Amino acid sequence: MAHANSSAEFRVTGLAASPGLAQARLLIIDFDDITIPRYSIEENQITDEIARFNNAIEKTKHQLIDIQKEVRENLGEKDAEIFEAHLLVLEDATLLGATHKQLALKKLNVEAVYHHVIQHYTEALESLKDSYLCERAADVRDVSRRVFQNLTGNHGSLIHAIKEPCIIVAYDLTPSETAQLPRDKVMGFVTYIGSKTSHAAIMARSMDIPAIVGLQESPITLESGMFALLDGTHGVLVINPSPETIAQFGALESRHEAVVQNLEQLRETKAVTLDNRHIMLSANIEILEDLPDILESGAEGIGLFRSEFLFTQSDHLPDEETQYQSYLQAAQSVKPYPIILRTLDIGGDKLMGDYFEEDQNPFLGVRAIRFCLAHPDLFRTQLRAMLRASTEKNVKIMLPMVSGLSEVLQAKTLIEEEKEKLRQQGIPFDEKIELGIMVETPSAALIADILAKEVNFFSIGTNDLIQYSIAIDRGNERLAHLYEPTHPGVLRLIRQIIQAAHENSIWCGLCGEMAGDFILVPLLVGLGVDELSSGAAQVPRVKRVIQSISYEEMKTLAHELLQLTSSSEIINRLDELGRARFPELFE
């Protein structure tokens, strides 16, 4: 790149990671500017070096716990889970043991030794060309950077450099760096790497910070102090904007604000199509603190209550009473609307202390219903708590990650056994409580007609269904362009699941990112879905779309789109329809 020698306006594009608009001066931050000292030590200094190292590890641990707590309180359990993995990396016996051993062998200061160990370890992970292991290498670097800062006393320029409103430009942002960004100063951020599903992008959306990732090469070098406009909705960064562009941007901001205000007026209305078909519009919840957002969004209940937070936010397992009180509080808060309690979906990238043995491929390992059936005592405790909360008459139970009939039958047996115990103990519960499953594996989709005979409802988990169906790691930035929710194969699976549900007289919902993507809503409703459950922030836009089109038109559209052979054709057709029928949502 050339150095800036002009004040002329120019634009750089990237992946739209977090919607919204921002304008401020750029702040270029290099997070890798820590100098690692290297010097020899004597034999009698090794003990002191180990003590210094242990102090740095302990200090880092407290910092990570503090960050995790802050993220949990401000963003929710899902984002806070990232730091569980970081704490495990920090105390990894292999890394600590290798550092101690190398200290004795090399007789170098601990910074140099630890740096050598980390370099060797991360390069080994990355050489395996496995996307999951590459992500773990990034975690190791993030954690080790903090350890180096505590060893050297160099705490970098990140937080201290942010004195006034700015748009941050960085090669990458780790979860801990993103979590610590001062929201009142950082108007937006741009990174050169990352995908829409990278940690930084996910956290930007949670923090409501406009963001672009995967920025293309700029025609000139970006420098701190340059004035810029950031459009996170379209993935555009405008440097040195002209007065005309600034005026256009201001008008865009005004229209965006007007849209938000208009959508707020839909809060008390129902999600009903022009020809009077009601679509149940629910919201997802991660922690109890999200409950006010559910009611504020205008959702009709909770379509996905992620119970994992009860298990991961504490050092010990929650007992039956603790779980019961949490489920009861949530059920009472949305009554008379329904709440779907998902049983523990742990595993994959969501860890839970000593209960887990390391899987070679965690996403295909012992997770969700597999984990619960392997730990029946833990599962029975949760089921009893959910059954007791069902006295509110609006509770449903849902099993995640089902891949075959035997898992459903085993779970049903445990549920019936716990019901009988409650009867014998005189403890009330809803005898008619509904049981459903998440359909998120290709095998479950293909035998949906069999599974439908055993449960009361389906909820399609699109995030994993897409990932497993087209064999795409949704966290891999190199494959982001292949992660296609409108892949014809995925749409046929969704249609098959819905048809199987209706042919067996049960209802079928859909949760996950697709449910909150307003441009996809006409297709999903046209395919026959009965319920959509999205993040609370997306509910008003989804409702606006449903109220804009008739069900008959959406059915015709879905039939038409199922004849197309490529994801891009389908998206283009949906984009065309959306811009004609609800153009304001594209602002």
Side-chain angles (χ1 to χ4, degrees):
M1 289 184 287
H3 283 279
N5 56 9
S6 169
S7 59
E9 174 181 312
F10 64 95
R11 300 180 178 224
V12 193
T13 61
L15 297 173
S18 180
L21 305 167
Q23 51 181 311
R25 295 194 178 279
L26 299 182
L27 177 63
I28 313 298
I29 293 184
D30 180 2
F31 294 93
D32 292 321
D33 59 353
I34 301 173
T35 300
I36 306 297
R38 179 187 175 92
Y39 52 87
S40 299
I41 61 172
E42 301 296 331
E43 182 77 28
N44 59 7
Q45 292 178 296
I46 292 178
T47 302
D48 292 340
E49 289 297 285
I50 290 176
R52 209 158 58 81
F53 182 56
N54 290 341
N55 287 337
I57 293 292
E58 191 64 20
K59 189 172 182 179
T60 303
K61 179 180 178 180
H62 288 298
Q63 290 169 344
L64 289 174
I65 290 173
D66 288 344
I67 295 171
Q68 184 184 39
K69 181 180 178 182
E70 185 176 343
V71 170
R72 180 179 291 122
E73 291 173 352
N74 295 326
L75 303 179
E77 186 60 32
K78 184 177 179 181
D79 290 318
E81 287 170 2
I82 296 168
F83 298 96
E84 282 297 323
H86 283 203
L87 287 166
L88 291 174
V89 167
L90 178 68
E91 297 180 316
D92 183 275
T94 301
L95 294 174
L96 298 180
T99 303
H100 288 186
K101 185 176 180 180
Q102 291 294 316
L103 265 173
L105 288 174
K106 293 182 178 295
K107 292 186 176 58
L108 291 172
N109 61 304
V110 72
E111 294 93 334
V113 169
Y114 187 56
H115 183 256
H116 171 78
V117 170
I118 293 297
Q119 285 292 99
H120 177 76
Y121 189 74
T122 54
E123 287 174 3
L125 288 176
E126 291 167 342
S127 69
L128 298 177
K129 306 299 182 186
D130 179 278
S131 60
Y132 173 77
L133 295 178
C134 285
E135 288 282 344
R136 300 291 71 77
D139 288 340
V140 172
R141 285 204 175 89
D142 186 13
V143 173
S144 65
R145 185 183 301 155
R146 188 172 293 277
V147 175
F148 286 130
Q149 288 172 342
N150 287 321
L151 278 170
T152 62
N154 179 355
H155 292 271
S157 57
L158 172 57
I159 300 301
H160 302 296
I162 303 175
K163 301 293 186 184
E164 55 188 23
C166 65
I167 294 172
I168 284 181
V169 179
Y171 177 72
D172 190 17
L173 283 173
T174 65
S176 63
E177 290 160 350
T178 308
Q180 292 183 91
L181 295 177
R183 185 63 188 91
D184 60 333
K185 297 289 192 305
V186 177
M187 302 294 103
F189 71 75
V190 175
T191 66
Y192 286 99
I193 66 171
S195 68
K196 290 183 177 180
T197 54
S198 63
H199 289 321
I202 292 171
M203 295 190 72
R205 291 193 287 273
S206 296
M207 297 167 73
D208 198 23
I209 296 178
I212 300 172
V213 299
L215 193 71
Q216 301 296 306
E217 185 173 340
S218 169
I220 66 173
T221 302
L222 299 183
E223 296 179 349
S224 292
M226 288 179 164
F227 186 69
L229 307 178
L230 187 157
D231 181 350
T233 304
H234 301 96
V236 179
L237 184 69
V238 185
I239 311 296
N240 299 328
S242 67
E244 292 76 16
T245 300
I246 293 175
Q248 292 170 0
F249 199 81
L252 190 61
E253 283 185 306
S254 298
R255 293 200 298 272
H256 179 76
E257 183 59 31
V259 170
V260 172
Q261 291 180 1
N262 286 333
L263 289 174
E264 288 179 357
Q265 298 175 11
L266 302 180
R267 184 184 307 153
E268 304 301 327
T269 66
K270 300 290 185 184
V272 179
T273 64
L274 290 177
D275 50 358
N276 210 34
R277 179 181 173 86
H278 176 224
I279 304 299
M280 179 65 77
L281 188 50
S282 309
N284 304 333
I285 182 174
E286 294 193 26
I287 56 175
L288 292 176
E289 285 73 13
D290 290 342
L291 286 172
D293 294 335
I294 302 292
L295 302 175
E296 187 72 17
S297 71
E300 298 177 82
I302 298 173
L304 175 60
F305 181 100
R306 296 183 172 101
S307 62
E308 295 80 64
F309 78 90
L310 292 169
F311 294 79
T312 57
Q313 70 178 6
S314 174
D315 293 334
H316 56 273
L317 294 177
D319 60 20
E320 179 183 321
E321 187 62 22
T322 300
Q323 293 187 59
Y324 163 67
Q325 291 296 340
S326 297
Y327 304 146
L328 184 65
Q329 180 184 345
Q332 291 175 337
S333 72
V334 298
K335 196 177 180 179
Y337 294 123
I339 173 173
I340 298 177
L341 301 176
R342 184 176 71 181
T343 59
L344 186 58
D345 184 6
I346 206 78
D349 58 349
K350 293 174 282 190
L351 305 178
M352 196 177 73
D354 296 334
Y355 266 87
F356 274 95
E357 295 181 10
E358 188 172 347
D359 279 316
Q360 195 164 20
N361 190 335
F363 283 97
L364 299 179
V366 184
R367 55 171 297 201
I369 189 65
R370 300 170 184 173
F371 174 83
C372 288
L373 293 175
H375 298 84
D377 290 343
L378 181 150
F379 193 27
R380 285 178 185 275
T381 299
Q382 182 174 46
L383 292 173
R384 281 176 60 88
M386 290 180 170
L387 288 169
R388 288 173 58 196
S390 70
T391 52
E392 295 299 317
K393 304 293 185 183
N394 62 341
V395 171
K396 307 174 193 295
I397 295 177
M398 181 163 68
L399 309 173
M401 192 70 184
V402 166
S403 60
L405 178 62
S406 65
E407 293 165 335
V408 176
L409 297 179
Q410 290 179 65
K412 287 180 69 175
T413 298
L414 293 177
I415 292 171
E416 290 306 315
E417 289 176 357
E418 292 310 312
K419 282 183 177 179
E420 183 55 31
K421 290 179 185 175
L422 290 174
R423 290 189 194 99
Q424 292 177 4
Q425 295 168 359
I427 299 175
F429 64 94
D430 181 5
E431 291 280 359
K432 297 181 180 178
I433 186 171
E434 292 187 7
L435 174 67
I437 62 169
M438 286 191 75
V439 183
E440 51 190 336
T441 65
S443 62
L446 292 170
I447 62 167
D449 58 326
I450 298 173
L451 298 173
K453 294 177 173 56
E454 300 295 335
V455 295
N456 303 109
F457 66 91
F458 286 161
S459 184
I460 304 173
T462 53
N463 296 352
D464 276 333
L465 183 64
I466 297 167
Q467 175 173 244
Y468 292 133
S469 297
I470 53 181
I472 295 294
D473 177 355
R474 56 192 169 101
N476 188 332
E477 66 191 47
R478 293 172 297 170
L479 300 175
H481 63 291
L482 296 176
Y483 184 82
E484 298 175 325
T486 54
H487 188 292
V490 172
L491 297 186
R492 281 162 172 72
L493 284 178
I494 292 175
R495 178 185 60 175
Q496 182 173 333
I497 297 165
I498 296 171
Q499 286 179 343
H502 291 173
E503 287 170 2
N504 286 276
S505 303
I506 66 172
W507 61 271
C508 183
L510 187 146
C511 56
E513 294 295 321
M514 282 185 79
D517 190 341
F518 71 85
I519 198 173
L520 303 179
V521 170
L523 168 61
L524 298 175
V525 174
L527 287 171
V529 72
D530 302 294
E531 181 239 21
L532 291 170
S533 188
S534 68
Q538 285 80 48
V539 166
R541 289 174 183 266
V542 174
K543 187 181 290 185
R544 168 74 176 87
V545 173
I546 292 172
Q547 293 177 345
S548 303
I549 310 176
S550 72
Y551 177 54
E552 287 304 316
E553 184 179 357
M554 287 190 265
K555 280 203 303 184
T556 301
L557 172 73
H559 178 75
E560 171 196 335
L561 298 184
L562 284 170
Q563 312 310 311
L564 301 180
T565 57
S566 75
S567 177
S568 59
E569 288 179 289
I570 295 168
I571 282 292
N572 290 340
R573 178 69 182 90
L574 288 168
D575 184 82
E576 178 186 358
L577 173 75
R579 291 182 185 279
R581 306 300 286 273
F582 35 86
E584 74 278 12
L585 299 187
F586 291 82
E587 295 289 351

